[in-house]
């Protein structure tokens, strides 16, 4: 992925980029399409695989691993990976890396301390996701977790003074309605569930996770306005806080049991797969997400819901009834509508009027400025919003 990322970034830099000038238009267009399809595949797999793998690992018979240790291990691996990437950026010069980290982490300690708040919330969110997925079917969680789009949008309006189009507000209402229908189906006992699962606790955990995701993402974006730190530096700083706070949470929640049974108690290849997916999957998405526009991200989220549902039927015996299908369909439609750029929503809104075609520019007027993709990213990030929000804020 490193070669793809470096090549794609130069090609996307504009007409002045060297690589773009060296390629014929048709070749550059074909390469861009391939990168978009690769991005779509990565986003879909990351969205669905983490949820399915956590559900699988938490429902296997036998000793159950401690979720708090998995959260800590993911933070450690993520931090070490970012440290290696920064080391590579410094061309393997240890002295330059040490001086850089001393300046960025210690000298600019105020900026570092600002990351303690989102890191605390992200650590809490990761633990809540384990609780939610342990008590809800993977497909139900995948649908319900899209409430993070609603919470992120509301926090962005309150904290960043952003405005939403009428179509986006309507899509948020549609999203809430779809999630409510799915939860009504879950409460009605649409699918058999093990006795040790508590849907009420799962719903409370996923709602709290969505609230924390929305607030932390917008807060992170706000404090990094004008910051020059790279995404890898910010992830390393978050990893340092996340590891420390995760250890505190481990000691508080399961310290006695971990001390008695061991940190890696219950770890199987499936558990290590979850940890590696959580640690590296989000970093991989951070690399490819710049090649995916907002519509593609919304489409990826919709595909991941379908994939999670189909896989849940095969792996966990999940039963899809008409009520769940209706709710999931509303959520998929809402995600797509919300991900449309502002220009597209205006075109939809004016489609029934008698004005000039929205795609035609009136004579004598300059073309409108190109819309930034930054705004629409707000609610369409994949399952691990933590890393994607960092890309947007950096």
């Amino acid at each position: 992925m490193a070669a793809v990322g470096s090549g794609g970034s130069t090609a996307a830099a504009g007409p002045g980029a060297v690589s773009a000038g060296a390629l014929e238009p048709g070749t550059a267009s074909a390469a861009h399409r391939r990168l978009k399809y690769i991005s779509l595949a990565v986003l879909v797999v990351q969205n669905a695989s983490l949820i399915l793998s956590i559900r699988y690992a938490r429902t296997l018979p036998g000793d159950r691993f401690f979720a708090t240790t998995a959260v800590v291990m993911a933070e450690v691996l993520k931090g070490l990976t970012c440290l290696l990437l920064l080391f590579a950026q410094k061309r393997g010069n240890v002295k330059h890396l040490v001086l850089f980290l001393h300046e960025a982490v210690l000298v600019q300690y105020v900026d570092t301390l600002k990351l303690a708040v989102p890191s605390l919330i992200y650590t809490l969110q990761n633990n809540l996701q384990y609780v939610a997925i342990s008590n809800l079917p993977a497909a139900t969680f995948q649908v319900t977790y899209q409430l993070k789009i609603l919470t992120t949008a509301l926090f962005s309006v309150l904290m960043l003074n952003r405005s939403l189009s009428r179509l986006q507000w309507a899509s948020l209402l549609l999203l809430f309605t779809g999630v409510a229908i799915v939860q009504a189906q879950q409460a009605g006992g649409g699918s058999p569930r093990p006795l040790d699962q508590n849907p009420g606790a799962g719903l409370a955990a996923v709602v709290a996770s969505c609230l924390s995701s929305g607030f932390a993402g917008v807060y992170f974006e706000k404090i990094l306005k004008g910051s020059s730190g790279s995404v890898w530096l910010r992830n390393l700083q978050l990893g340092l806080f996340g590891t420390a706070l995760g250890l505190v949470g481990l000691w508080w929640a399961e310290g006695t049991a971990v001390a008695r049974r061991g940190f890696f108690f219950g770890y199987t290849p499936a558990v290590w797969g979850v940890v590696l997916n959580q640690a590296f999957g989000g970093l991989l998405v951070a690399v490819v997400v710049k090649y995916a526009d907002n519509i593609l991200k919304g489409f990826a989220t919709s595909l991941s819901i379908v994939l999670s549902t189909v896989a849940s039927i095969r792996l966990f015996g999940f039963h899809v009834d008409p009520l769940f299908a209706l709710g999931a369909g509303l959520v998929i439609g809402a995600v797509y509508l919300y991900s449309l750029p502002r220009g597209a929503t205006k075109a939809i809104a004016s489609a029934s009027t008698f004005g000039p075609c929205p795609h035609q520019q009136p004579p004598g007027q300059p073309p409108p400025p190109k819309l930034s993709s930054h705004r629409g990213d707000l609610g369409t990030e994949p399952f691990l919003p933590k890393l994607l929000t960092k890309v947007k804020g950096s």
Side-chain angles (χ1 to χ4, degrees):
M1 289 307 300
V4 174
S6 60
S9 60
T10 54
V18 175
S19 60
L23 293 175
E24 296 181 1
T27 306
S29 177
H32 183 68
R33 282 198 301 271
R34 283 196 298 270
L35 287 173
K36 290 186 67 172
Y37 291 140
I38 292 173
S39 301
L40 174 63
V42 171
L43 293 173
V44 171
V45 171
Q46 167 62 14
N47 270 333
S49 64
L50 182 59
I51 297 171
L52 292 169
S53 60
I54 292 178
R55 178 67 179 178
Y56 179 75
R58 296 296 281 176
T59 55
L60 282 175
D63 297 327
R64 176 176 286 191
F65 68 99
F66 300 111
T68 52
T69 65
V71 171
V72 171
M73 280 304 303
E75 292 296 328
V76 169
L77 293 176
K78 205 181 306 175
L80 289 176
T81 302
C82 291
L83 185 62
L84 289 175
L85 290 170
L86 289 172
F87 182 65
Q89 286 182 352
K90 300 303 176 182
R91 301 183 182 277
N93 192 312
V94 177
K95 181 180 179 180
H96 288 176
L97 177 64
V98 172
L99 291 176
F100 170 75
L101 293 178
H102 177 267
E103 172 70 23
V105 178
L106 298 180
V107 176
Q108 301 179 21
Y109 67 93
V110 175
D111 287 342
T112 301
L113 290 176
K114 287 179 181 179
L115 299 177
V117 174
S119 182
L120 171 63
I121 298 174
Y122 286 136
T123 303
L124 173 65
Q125 174 192 341
N126 288 335
N127 282 283
L128 287 172
Q129 286 172 355
Y130 277 97
V131 175
I133 299 175
S134 299
N135 289 281
L136 291 174
T140 302
F141 173 85
Q142 180 75 288
V143 173
T144 309
Y145 193 62
Q146 301 314 311
L147 281 176
K148 69 182 184 289
I149 299 176
L150 173 62
T151 60
T152 305
L154 294 178
F155 281 119
S156 70
V157 171
L158 295 174
M159 297 173 61
L160 300 178
N161 296 320
R162 285 214 171 103
S163 62
L164 302 178
S165 67
R166 281 181 289 183
L167 182 61
Q168 285 178 316
W169 282 115
S171 68
L172 293 177
L173 178 61
L174 194 67
L175 173 70
F176 184 82
T177 303
V179 171
I181 292 175
V182 168
Q183 285 301 319
Q185 179 267 351
Q186 178 69 24
S191 299
R193 61 176 183 267
L195 296 177
D196 62 341
Q197 294 183 16
N198 186 342
L203 175 60
V206 75
V207 170
S209 182
C210 290
L211 286 171
S212 62
S213 172
F215 174 79
V218 175
Y219 176 85
F220 194 93
E221 181 180 352
K222 185 174 183 178
I223 65 174
L224 290 186
K225 288 281 188 181
S227 172
S228 59
S230 70
V231 63
W232 309 125
L233 172 62
R234 297 311 180 193
N235 274 283
L236 174 61
Q237 292 170 313
L238 284 169
L240 293 174
F241 282 116
T243 300
L245 295 170
L247 287 172
V248 172
L250 183 155
W251 172 79
W252 180 77
E254 300 172 320
T256 304
V258 172
R260 185 176 68 253
R261 296 186 173 184
F263 188 91
F264 296 106
F265 173 79
Y267 272 56
T268 63
V271 177
W272 280 111
V274 170
V275 172
L276 293 174
N277 194 339
Q278 198 164 32
F280 302 127
L283 292 176
L284 182 62
V285 169
V287 173
V288 304
V289 71
K290 60 184 175 181
Y291 303 115
D293 55 27
N294 299 325
I295 297 178
L296 193 68
K297 294 174 193 174
F299 188 53
T301 302
S302 302
L303 280 180
S304 66
I305 293 175
V306 176
L307 180 60
S308 296
T309 303
V310 173
S312 295
I313 296 173
R314 297 275 299 177
L315 296 174
F316 312 118
F318 182 72
H319 174 67
V320 178
D321 60 14
L323 203 58
F324 177 87
L326 174 62
L330 291 176
V331 170
I332 290 173
V335 170
Y336 175 76
L337 291 175
Y338 187 85
S339 65
L340 291 175
R342 179 65 66 98
T345 61
K346 288 182 178 180
I348 293 175
S350 61
S352 58
T353 64
F354 289 100
C357 176
H359 298 291
Q360 294 178 347
Q361 184 67 25
Q365 293 187 12
K370 186 177 180 180
L371 290 172
S372 169
S373 62
H374 177 77
R375 186 187 178 291
D377 287 351
L378 208 45
T380 55
E381 70 263 292
F383 175 71
L384 288 183
K386 173 177 177 178
L387 289 166
L388 300 185
T389 308
K390 281 175 263 182
V391 175
K392 291 175 285 189
S394 58

